[in-house]
Amino acid sequence: MAATAGRCMNPRFMDPESMKCTISSSPSSFSSRQSQVQFSNQRHQFCSMSMNGCQSEPRAPIGTIETRTFPLVLTPALAMDCLNSAISEMKSEPPPFDSGIIRLEVPIQQQIEAIDWLHAQKELLPRCFFSGRNPSQFSDRFIDYTNGNNRSPSVEHRLISVAGVGSAVYFRHSHPFSLDDWRSIKRFLSKKCPLIRAYGAIRFDARAEISSEWRSFGSFYFIVPQVELDELEGSSMLATTVAWDTALSWKYGEAITALQSTLQQVSSMVTRLQKEVPYTYILSNNYIPSKVYWDVAVNRSLTMINRKNSPLIKVVLARSTRVVTSTDIDPLAWLACLQVEGGNSYQFCLQPPDAPAFIGNTPEQLFHQKGYDICSEALAGTRARGRSEAMDLQIENDLLSSAKDHQEFTIVRECIRRKLEASNLGYAVCVRVSFEAKKAIRKLPRVQHLYAQLTGRLRSEDDEFKVLCSLHPTPAVCGFPTEEARILIAETEMFDRGMYAGPVGWFGGGESEFAVGIRSALVERGLGALIYAGTGIVEGSNSSLEWEELELKTSQVCGRG
């Protein structure tokens, strides 16, 4: 994204401070939420919305869960022909089940980038995109496929990214994400069908009032896509998923018809996205809060932290930057540019019908669970990268020796460790938790952080929900102790974080992975973007230096130099 008011700049954001824009915020409104830009209906194409799985009986088993794999083809067009033919046959021969979910997948010899395929779908909604980091913590995540008649040899390819449109089944509600909601999602998943997954996000604080721009996301929003493109290492896979449940008034025939309707709108013509955003002008740029009220918020937080006998050790305060441009922002083109910047990061996009797109390029993993194995990360402390190798090493050493950053990092690491070891329902979630005692450095293209990986062994694979609820929110995005920090955030911040800093990722049959939704933005055509960033406040913090850290983190999303 590029530019400043009245001038055409390089294809990236200019530093908002250089724009000399007016910041709208008033002292009297400091303790209350400030109204946000109103996101309205835009000219999107909508795929058929199917059933809301949250309305099901979470313990009722699904009649059938299947994956059917067809022979390898050369192009997406041939894959579409194969899927259309198979779906027509399915429609004429309905299965003898009142509920079920069936995935049809066609391997494609050609490697197609998932984000390019999603961009070719011309804003079919809902849509989702998730790209894991490379390398992965679990190195054996491969797709093993044969054709439906087992006439082809087994072929293994690493899964890189997934893009999807439509929803075979979605899960959304206004109440906080609960155990029954998790069970409702897992009801449609199976270890035997590892690529039937539910992609989505959960709000940072489900107890906070949902503002207008986040309303379509609810308290949580997950979808199993109707049509998806899996980008593999060296190849691709096009897949469709049909789900039905007569108990939810969504019959097999209706589900097939809805899938066919979505397929008619899907394009097989995929062109590569340019990895740089076109020139554009920024018409206005406002911070919430402004620098003046940021200073007030930080100093108020420090007063509480330094108060005698105060339990509060750390609180993470965030800022929303509203950017309005002269031309529409294409969220997928923006995300494609972030992929270039996003080495060792997760990229994601989630957009329900009648909603803006939530996109992000986050370096922070919440957890990755596969079977009984689980890993999480502590990430804290931020410095810029050096312009030379010697300067970069000097900055790294400064970060490693900083007492303030060491305290912040230790709080995050120890809190995650305790949460993984915590007793739940009379027993510890993990049998054991381990981590390297020595601090490490995680280097990204523009910044570097203190870092440690934690690994554990779950007592039960079904403890996945307990782990999610226990780890979120981490001290890296909320503070410590959690509840005291959450209350201070709710009383201090003047905007709705929504899914920013919440869990973003996917549930699978025997595996799940979630990142923390930071370095993110909410984008809608004609209305610009809301860009989010936060920073940890501990004893010794300086409001001006923390503001500079917000600018550095925002540059991770904006791509400005």
Side-chain angles (χ1 to χ4, degrees), residues 392-410:
D392 196 58
L393 182 59
Q394 181 180 341
I395 294 172
E396 174 185 328
N397 290 332
D398 175 68
L399 179 57
L400 285 168
S401 61
S402 166
K404 181 260 184 186
D405 290 295
H406 175 75
Q407 179 191 13
E408 186 178 348
F409 169 76
T410 302

Side-chain angles (χ1 to χ4, degrees), residues 327-402:
T327 55
D328 289 337
I329 299 172
D330 184 334
L332 293 182
W334 188 359
L335 190 58
C337 294
L338 293 179
Q339 285 186 310
V340 177
E341 298 255 344
N344 214 13
S345 294
Y346 296 93
Q347 288 85 39
F348 61 84
C349 174
L350 184 66
Q351 188 170 15
D354 192 23
F358 180 46
I359 66 169
N361 182 63
T362 173
E364 188 167 345
Q365 180 190 73
L366 185 62
F367 74 92
H368 180 197
Q369 176 258 338
K370 184 171 184 179
Y372 289 90
D373 295 318
I374 188 166
C375 64
S376 185
E377 292 178 350
L379 202 69
T382 304
R383 293 288 191 280
R385 296 296 302 272
R387 295 184 179 274
S388 66
E389 186 174 342
M391 185 179 294
D392 196 58
L393 182 59
Q394 181 180 341
I395 294 172
E396 174 185 328
N397 290 332
D398 175 68
L399 179 57
L400 285 168
S401 61
S402 166

